[in-house]
Amino acid sequence: MNNTGKSITSHSIKLCMGTVRIIITAALFLNCHIGFGQNEFTPVGDYVTINGMKMYYEVSGEGEPLIVLHGAYMNIPSMGSIIPKLAETHKVYAVEFQGHGRTTDIDRPITYQNLADDVAAFMNAVGVEKADVFGYSMGSAAGLQLAIRHQGKVNRLVAASVAYDFEGWQPAFKEFVPQMTVDMILSMGFEEEYRKLAANPEGFRALVEKLIALEKEPMAWGEDVKKIKIPILVIAGDADVATLEHTVSLFRLLGGGIMGDMGESLPASRLAIMPATSHTAVITQPDMLHSFIEPFLRGETPKGMFEETEY
C-alpha cells in the first residue's frame, strides 16, 4: 500500500473526517437534491446477470450508446440530471456497480479492474459491442481501467474526478486513508438511506469494508495509461480530490499539453477544469459538465485563428 506514513494531528483527523462525511453525504443524498428533471426521456430499468451478480441498469434516450458509471456509495439517481441531459442525444445505459443501489453484492473484492470487467460483461450481455463511456469518481477510475483492459469496447471516455496513481491524491486525503475504518463510516448514519434501494438491506457494512479496502489498494497505472489510444476527456474541479498537478500529468500522458496555433494537430484527448469546484460539486453542475462532454463526444473542436494557415 502506498501512503505517506505521516502522523496526523487530532485537528487534521477532524478536518479529514469532515471531508469524508461531506463526500459520503453527497453520494448518498444527492438524489434528494438533484432530480432527473422533467423531460421525455423516461428511463427503463432492468436487470442482467453477469459475473455472478444481478446488475441493475437503466436505459434512456436514443442515439449512439453511452455507458454512465457512478461513484462510490452512489447509485443511478445520485448521478442527478446529467443523465437525462446526455439522453437527449444518446442512448444512455446507466449501471449500478457491485453492491451499490439495486445491484447485488458477491463474494469478491471491489477493485477498479473488477468493476471494469463487469462493465465489459454488461455490454456483452445487453448487446452493446462498443460505446462511449462517462464515469465520475470511482466510476471514472473504472472507466480508465475499461480503456486499459478492454480498449476495443470504448469509443471515447469521459473521466471526471479521476487519478491514475495513489500519489496523485491531495495530501490531506492520502494522510487520511490509513485512518479509515468501517465503524467510522457506519457511525455517520448513512445506512438507512442505503437500505431504500439496496438488494440486500443488511449489506452496508460489507460494502463499506470493500470500499475502504479499495482506497488502500496500490494504484500506479502510468505505464498502462500511456498505451491508451482512444480519446479521453479529463474533467476535474479546481479543488478536487486529485491535485491539479496530477490531473495535468494525466492529460500529458494522453498526449495533451502541446501549443496550438503552430501547425500541429491538437491531441484527441482534452482537459477541462471546473472553477470553484470541489470533488462532490463536480456532479452537481450538469449544465457545465454537459457543455464539456457533448462537443467531445461529437468530435467537435473550436476553430483557432490560424486553422487554415499553411506551414
Side-chain angles (χ1 to χ4, degrees):
M1 177 182 68
N2 294 319
N3 60 69
T4 62
K6 297 177 182 177
S7 61
I8 307 176
T9 66
S10 59
H11 178 66
S12 297
I13 292 175
K14 184 177 180 180
L15 289 176
C16 289
M17 278 289 292
T19 299
V20 171
R21 181 182 297 273
I22 291 169
I23 289 173
I24 298 176
T25 300
L28 291 176
F29 295 104
L30 270 173
N31 54 313
C32 297
H33 303 289
I34 308 174
F36 271 90
Q38 298 297 319
N39 62 44
E40 64 219 81
F41 305 106
T42 304
V44 177
D46 203 352
Y47 291 87
V48 63
T49 300
I50 53 109
N51 294 340
M53 77 183 75
K54 190 177 180 183
M55 176 178 274
Y56 179 79
Y57 69 98
E58 291 180 353
V59 182
S60 53
E62 295 293 337
E64 294 300 312
L66 171 63
I67 311 293
V68 172
L69 308 175
H70 62 74
Y73 298 100
M74 294 176 71
N75 48 44
I76 293 171
S78 62
M79 286 295 283
S81 57
I82 188 60
I83 291 179
K85 280 186 173 295
L86 293 169
E88 293 174 7
T89 50
H90 305 272
K91 186 172 185 178
V92 174
Y93 294 80
V95 305
E96 291 181 339
F97 282 126
Q98 174 187 342
H100 288 74
R102 288 143 285 199
T103 295
T104 59
D105 200 358
I106 54 175
D107 186 15
R108 185 194 70 174
I110 292 178
T111 68
Y112 298 119
Q113 292 82 359
N114 284 343
L115 296 178
D117 291 348
D118 290 341
V119 176
F122 165 78
M123 293 173 68
N124 290 339
V126 298
V128 175
E129 183 177 346
K130 199 170 186 179
D132 295 321
V133 177
F134 166 56
Y136 166 65
S137 194
M138 181 182 76
S140 64
L144 204 56
Q145 277 295 322
L146 183 69
I148 291 168
R149 298 166 69 84
H150 306 277
Q151 196 160 166
K153 288 190 168 295
V154 185
N155 284 316
R156 292 171 177 262
L157 169 64
V158 179
S161 297
V162 71
Y164 66 90
D165 194 297
F166 183 89
E167 294 305 318
W169 299 126
Q170 294 280 5
F173 186 70
K174 287 194 294 182
E175 291 177 9
F176 180 66
V177 167
Q179 309 295 322
M180 296 176 72
T181 67
V182 174
D183 288 339
M184 182 187 296
I185 304 302
L186 292 177
S187 69
M188 296 179 186
F190 304 128
E191 189 168 7
E192 182 179 351
E193 188 68 20
Y194 164 85
R195 290 171 179 268
K196 293 180 180 179
L197 290 182
N200 173 17
E202 307 303 319
F204 190 60
R205 172 177 282 273
L207 177 63
V208 173
E209 290 173 350
K210 291 178 180 182
L211 291 177
I212 290 177
L214 175 65
E215 297 288 3
K216 297 180 179 181
E217 277 289 308
M219 188 183 188
W221 307 339
E223 291 303 313
D224 291 327
V225 168
K226 285 194 292 187
K227 298 174 184 176
I228 296 176
K229 302 301 181 185
I230 64 168
I232 297 180
L233 167 59
V234 180
I235 300 176
D238 61 2
D240 216 318
V241 68
T243 67
L244 285 171
E245 293 80 4
H246 183 72
T247 301
V248 171
S249 74
L250 171 58
F251 182 49
R252 291 190 183 280
L253 285 178
L254 298 169
I258 68 166
M259 180 179 176
D261 297 327
M262 297 297 290
E264 186 176 353
S265 297
L266 293 178
S269 292
R270 305 182 187 184
L271 172 64
I273 302 296
M274 303 172 71
T277 299
S278 67
H279 180 66
T280 54
V282 168
I283 201 66
T284 66
Q285 300 177 77
D287 290 336
M288 186 181 295
L289 274 178
H290 190 257
S291 72
F292 296 145
I293 295 171
E294 192 60 32
F296 170 70
L297 295 182
R298 291 179 179 174
E300 297 174 354
T301 304
K303 300 300 181 184
M305 183 182 297
F306 306 109
E307 191 76 19
E308 304 300 329
T309 301
E310 293 291 334
Y311 293 93

